[in-house]
């Protein structure tokens, strides 16, 4: 993956992938048509200069009118169940969904068409490319739900939750913006908690164990989650962006 270094966050080495390569299921004829003809109109424009100049407000202004108040970011939305659910429940919010696998993109495009959702924009690739280009303090809420756990110790450097990533994420979050991280892998839960706690820009909102063991009332279950492939019941860590 060749990248132009971000002026504010210069890259001194090649960025490691945070999602494992896998085969995608063959798209149906309808899905292929949506990817070809619908995706271009919904894609987040990040090509060209890497200077952080992407204002989420400009992505939704054409159809939102004066009521669009917030922009939310979902990093790695999988099959799109959570992304589409949040969009339907919150029509006055603009949602940016990032997913590297085309079958996930095709699935959410199908939901967008079927439900008439006008408040989703998509990036078919690495979410970090979008974060690099977002203007500071432009995201009101973020979701990182069941990211690739990279269970082998030698692959932990590929996990999304790293201190450098949290630096970049904190730059684009507005003060007080909530962020939810969920996983069903015990080691990744400990890993993420350690790094979120160590980062000065994030504060954990939990007061009791029930706060992170109980499914949040505003959560939409994903197909991946329903498979229960992890070694623990899902945990949900809610933090707020609390810049010092």
């Amino acid at each position: 993956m060749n990248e132009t270094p971000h002026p504010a966050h210069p890259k001194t080495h090649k960025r490691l992938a945070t999602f494992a390569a896998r085969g995608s299921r063959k798209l149906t004829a309808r899905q292929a048509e949506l990817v070809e003809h619908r995706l271009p109109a919904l894609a987040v424009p990040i090509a060209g200069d890497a200077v952080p100049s992407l204002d989420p407000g400009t992505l939704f202004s054409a159809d939102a009118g004066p009521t669009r108040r917030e922009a939310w970011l979902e990093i790695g939305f999988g099959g799109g169940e959570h992304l589409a659910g949040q969009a339907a429940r919150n029509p006055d919010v603009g949602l940016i969904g990032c997913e590297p696998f085309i079958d996930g993109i095709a699935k959410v495009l199908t939901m967008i068409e079927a439900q008439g959702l006008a408040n989703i924009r998509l990036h078919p690739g690495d979410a970090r490319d979008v974060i690099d280009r977002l203007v500071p303090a432009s995201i009101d809420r973020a979701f990182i739900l069941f990211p690739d756990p990279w269970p082998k110790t030698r692959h932990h450097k590929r996990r999304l939750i790293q201190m450098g990533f949290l630096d970049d994420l904190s730059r684009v979050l507005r003060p007080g913006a909530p962020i939810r991280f969920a996983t069903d892998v015990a080691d990744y839960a400990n890993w993420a908690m350690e790094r979120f706690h160590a980062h000065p820009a994030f504060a954990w909102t939990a007061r009791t164990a029930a706060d992170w063991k109980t499914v949040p009332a505003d959560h939409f279950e994903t197909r991946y989650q329903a498979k229960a492939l992890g070694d623990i019941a899902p945990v949900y860590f809610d933090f707020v962006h609390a810049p010092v």
Side-chain angles (χ1 to χ4, degrees), residues 1-212:
M1 183 190 310
N2 295 322
E3 296 186 344
T4 302
H6 191 299
H9 306 275
K11 302 293 189 295
T12 57
H13 53 79
K14 183 179 180 180
R15 175 180 273 170
L16 294 174
T18 60
F19 41 87
R22 62 171 174 79
S24 296
R25 293 182 179 179
K26 184 177 180 180
L27 302 183
T28 66
R30 177 56 177 159
Q31 288 176 330
E33 180 184 8
L34 288 172
V35 169
E36 181 179 359
H37 298 291
R38 191 77 173 100
L39 178 58
L42 299 181
V44 177
I46 65 166
D49 197 350
V51 172
S53 59
L54 177 62
D55 181 352
T58 64
L59 299 178
F60 304 97
S61 58
D63 58 17
T67 61
R68 182 80 68 219
R69 295 189 300 271
E70 294 190 355
W72 296 359
L73 174 68
E74 182 164 350
I75 299 171
F77 59 73
E81 299 88 0
H82 181 270
L83 181 66
Q86 292 291 353
R89 178 184 287 169
N90 302 281
D92 60 338
V93 171
L95 288 102
I96 300 172
C98 304
E99 171 59 42
F101 298 110
I102 196 63
D103 50 346
I105 294 290
K107 288 175 182 176
V108 83
L109 284 170
T110 302
M111 297 178 201
I112 289 171
E113 286 291 294
Q115 300 178 45
L117 302 174
N119 56 334
I120 294 178
R121 298 295 179 267
L122 302 171
H123 174 61
D126 193 326
R128 294 172 297 178
D129 294 334
V130 173
I131 292 172
D132 280 350
R133 290 161 176 81
L134 284 167
V135 297
S138 59
I139 295 297
D140 299 277
R141 189 174 187 182
F143 300 94
I144 305 173
L145 306 178
F146 306 98
D148 194 317
W150 291 99
K152 295 181 180 179
T153 301
R154 70 176 184 270
H155 292 153
H156 285 181
K157 62 188 176 182
R158 294 185 178 275
R159 287 176 167 174
L160 178 65
I161 305 302
Q162 309 283 349
M163 296 302 285
F165 170 76
L166 295 182
D167 286 343
D168 293 340
L169 185 60
S170 68
R171 181 186 66 83
V172 303
L173 291 174
R174 289 181 178 169
I179 174 172
R180 176 171 297 155
F181 172 88
T183 185
D184 57 359
V185 177
D187 183 66
Y188 202 3
N190 294 331
W191 171 283
M193 181 59 69
E194 178 182 336
R195 281 151 184 78
F196 272 110
H197 270 310
H199 199 289
F202 296 96
W204 197 20
T205 63
R207 295 294 177 265
T208 69
D211 292 334
W212 51 272

Side-chain angles (χ1 to χ4, degrees), residues 14 22 29 229 237-238:
K14 183 179 180 180
R22 62 171 174 79
L229 299 176
F237 297 153
D238 285 344

